[in-house]
Amino acid sequence: DTGVSQNPRHKITKRGQNVTFRCDPISEHNRLYWYRQTLGQGPEFLTYFQNEAQLEKSRLLSDRFSAERPKGSFSTLEIQRTEQGDSAMYLCASSPGGGLAKNIQYFGAGTRLSVL
Amino acid sequence: SQQGEEDPQALSIQEGENATMNCSYKTSINNLQWYRQNSGRGLVHLILIRSNEREKHSGRLRVTLDTSKKSSSLLITASRAADTASYFCATDGNDYKLSFGAGTTVTVRA
């Protein structure tokens, strides 16, 4: 399967712990996006990369959140000192850098975070 | 914050009927896209309509766009049980990031 892969699928953690999520995009896609989705809402943009460069971060991404994409391949999203309000589905998406499909994003199945 | 709003929030129809949902947005756009999300899963792209287009078809899907009213509609014809899902409109500007609405939950009854 050459789709977007996210791990883990589910994460339960205690408040104050750090968590890290991984996203493997479609291999030829140079853009990678992170979104957060809470129950009953649409996804909200967090940050995106073009290759290894992080080009934009949302105001939603507090200083407890950090994302990396070393070597422009997989990406990690880390949340430090988790809070109950961080409980959400974290979605990763990728898109090609050009061509007719450049605006279409391909999503992974998401990582559901529950902070107790 | 969410860029747009979908209407209705929820829709329940009989198999074989048509489903129509609307999306309104706030700022100028390059494209408007519709995505489907099955419960607890990621989103799947359905269709993209560019800002200079007014209508687009893909299989049983028909999308309209009215940039003067900043609104779009998605019509699913001859619905099937497999169409049960949440549907989101998303707009993109020059920076490629997507701004989603809150979605319409569609239930197709057998």
Side-chain angles (χ1 to χ4, degrees):
Chain A
D1 188 305
T2 57
V4 177
S5 176
Q6 290 189 248
N7 288 288
R9 289 294 314 278
H10 303 274
K11 179 71 177 179
I12 300 173
T13 192
K14 293 182 179 179
R15 189 176 54 186
Q17 297 294 305
N18 299 344
V19 293
T20 300
F21 311 140
R22 176 177 171 128
C23 171
D24 288 272
I26 293 172
S27 59
E28 61 267 26
H29 287 181
N30 61 11
R31 287 177 180 262
L32 186 149
Y33 309 80
W34 285 98
Y35 294 85
R36 182 172 69 187
Q37 184 179 25
T38 53
L39 201 60
Q41 297 298 314
E44 293 181 293
F45 169 79
L46 291 178
T47 188
Y48 89 97
F49 293 83
Q50 178 161 324
N51 299 313
E52 66 275 12
Q54 187 173 18
L55 296 187
E56 185 173 345
K57 293 193 293 185
S58 161
R59 287 171 299 172
L60 293 174
L61 216 64
S62 76
D63 56 7
R64 296 184 298 106
F65 288 70
S66 63
E68 294 182 342
R69 193 183 182 196
K71 303 178 183 177
S73 56
F74 72 91
S75 176
T76 57
L77 178 67
E78 181 184 17
I79 308 174
Q80 296 182 328
R81 306 180 303 280
T82 53
E83 302 173 355
Q84 288 184 327
D86 297 331
S87 295
M89 175 79 90
Y90 290 84
L91 293 163
C92 175
S94 68
S95 68
L100 293 176
K102 64 183 179 182
N103 296 96
I104 296 172
Q105 295 185 18
Y106 298 81
F107 283 80
T111 294
R112 182 168 296 283
L113 173 66
S114 297
V115 181
L116 305 178
Chain B
S1 62
Q2 307 274 241
Q3 155 77 306
E5 296 180 1
E6 278 96 339
D7 172 55
Q9 287 186 321
L11 184 58
S12 180
I13 56 173
Q14 200 75 28
E15 203 165 24
E17 293 180 339
N18 296 342
T20 300
M21 60 210 84
N22 303 296
C23 165
S24 60
Y25 58 92
K26 298 172 185 173
T27 61
S28 61
I29 62 170
N30 285 345
N31 309 289
L32 187 140
Q33 303 182 45
W34 287 89
Y35 286 79
R36 183 187 73 220
Q37 184 178 36
N38 291 91
S39 181
R41 305 301 300 271
L43 286 80
V44 174
H45 177 263
L46 295 176
I47 195 165
L48 178 151
I49 186 166
R50 302 192 189 286
S51 59
N52 61 356
E53 296 176 316
R54 292 296 167 258
E55 187 171 314
K56 202 160 183 180
H57 296 254
S58 176
R60 293 184 296 111
L61 304 179
R62 172 180 169 255
V63 169
T64 63
L65 178 64
D66 186 336
T67 52
S68 67
K69 295 181 180 178
K70 292 187 169 58
S71 67
S72 173
S73 68
L74 171 67
L75 168 67
I76 305 172
T77 60
S79 62
R80 306 166 181 169
D83 295 328
T84 294
S86 293
Y87 292 81
F88 296 90
C89 69
T91 57
D92 67 73
N94 294 325
D95 51 10
Y96 300 102
K97 68 183 183 187
L98 297 178
S99 296
F100 288 88
T104 294
T105 299
V106 175
T107 303
V108 181
R109 305 186 307 274

